[in-house]
């Protein structure tokens, strides 16, 4: 004879509801975690783009790069951007100015800089290897007249801690787990 140790209807309903609640919470936490990482990475990219654009603006206004570069070094000294790499090249690929270890202007970059190739004056290399360092992000921009190219980048190890989720996220997750356990 079969054992009649079945759960009552209430218990079966309770287990299903609690399981679905945990599933929803887990999906929301994973989505929020990914979203926060993306927002932080975009903030780093935006900062590098602002640096590139400012250098190009100084070139177009016939200003010297050196005072701007010195200011950037001082400004970023005690921040996560302290290891920023900026390299300014002329149209012949000759390095004019550099902050940090110069980024290499690779041959394949020049085709991507043609306005007909992408409709803009630059492109994002993204994650790449440069000078033996794993770079989180490298952006290449060129002046409107094509005489100056600016490469900006930052090593991955420099921004790794910034891109990671901090303790507040996990504290909220634990509070959520406790809250749901109490309600259940």
């Amino acid at each position: 004879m079969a054992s009649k140790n079945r759960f009552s209807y209430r218990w079966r309903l309770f287990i299903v509801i609690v399981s679905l609640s945990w599933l929803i919470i887990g999906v929301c936490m994973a989505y929020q975690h990914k979203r926060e990482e993306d927002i932080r990475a975009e903030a780093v990219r935006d900062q590098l783009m602002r640096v590139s654009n400012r250098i190009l603006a100084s070139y177009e206004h016939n200003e010297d790069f050196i005072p701007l570069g010195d200011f950037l070094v001082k400004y970023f000294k005690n921040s996560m951007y302290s290891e920023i790499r900026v390299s300014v090249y002329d149209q012949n690929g000759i390095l004019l100015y550099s902050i940090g270890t110069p980024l290499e202007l690779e041959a394949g970059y020049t085709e991507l800089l043609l306005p007909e190739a992408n409709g803009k004056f630059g492109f994002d290399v993204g994650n790449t290897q440069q000078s033996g360092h794993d770079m989180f992000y490298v952006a290449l921009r060129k002046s409107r007249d094509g005489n100056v190219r600016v490469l900006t980048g930052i090593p991955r190890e420099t921004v790794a801690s910034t891109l990671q989720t901090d303790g507040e996220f996990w504290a909220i997750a634990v509070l959520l787990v406790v809250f749901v356990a109490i309600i259940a």
Side-chain angles (χ1 to χ4, degrees):
M1 222 194 321
S3 163
K4 292 220 169 196
N5 259 347
R6 290 202 260 175
F7 290 112
S8 69
Y9 176 73
R10 288 181 182 167
W11 276 106
R12 286 186 289 179
L13 187 60
F14 174 75
I15 290 172
V16 169
I17 290 173
V18 168
S19 299
L20 284 175
S21 298
W22 282 113
L23 179 66
I24 291 170
I25 289 170
V27 168
C28 288
M29 285 176 51
Y31 172 76
Q32 181 61 29
H33 183 268
K34 178 65 177 146
R35 184 172 171 261
E36 189 172 330
E37 271 185 3
D38 292 344
I39 289 170
R40 290 176 184 205
E42 189 62 32
V44 171
R45 288 185 194 104
D46 287 346
Q47 183 67 29
L48 293 176
M49 293 308 303
R50 282 192 290 275
V51 168
S52 294
N53 292 337
R54 181 61 190 116
I55 289 174
L56 287 175
S58 70
Y59 165 75
E60 290 174 2
H61 290 97
N62 294 322
E63 297 173 4
D64 191 14
F65 304 128
I66 296 173
L68 177 61
D70 292 342
F71 168 75
L72 290 172
V73 169
K74 289 176 187 174
Y75 183 74
F76 291 138
K77 185 176 183 179
N78 292 321
S79 72
M80 64 171 255
Y81 298 103
S82 61
E83 297 294 320
I84 192 170
R85 311 255 172 97
V86 179
S87 299
V88 181
Y89 290 92
D90 67 3
Q91 72 270 18
N92 299 321
I94 297 172
L95 183 66
L96 300 174
Y97 182 75
S98 178
I99 297 174
T101 305
L103 295 167
E104 299 166 12
L105 186 62
E106 297 179 8
Y109 290 171
T110 54
E111 293 81 32
L112 294 169
L113 277 173
L114 298 174
E116 58 271 7
N118 61 6
K120 56 184 179 179
F121 290 102
F123 73 101
D124 305 326
V125 178
N127 301 332
T128 186
Q129 271 304 109
Q130 280 275 353
S131 305
H133 290 90
D134 185 21
M135 299 300 284
F136 164 71
Y137 184 75
V138 174
L140 176 60
R141 297 288 180 260
K142 75 173 182 174
S143 61
R144 295 185 196 282
D145 61 7
N147 290 334
V148 173
R149 294 179 175 96
V150 178
L151 271 166
T152 53
I154 193 160
R156 181 174 302 282
E157 63 267 10
T158 304
V159 295
S161 63
T162 301
L163 297 178
Q164 292 176 351
T165 306
D166 54 0
E168 289 179 15
F169 179 82
W170 298 115
I172 291 171
V174 168
L175 287 174
L176 195 59
V177 166
V178 170
F179 180 71
V180 170
I182 290 171
I183 290 176

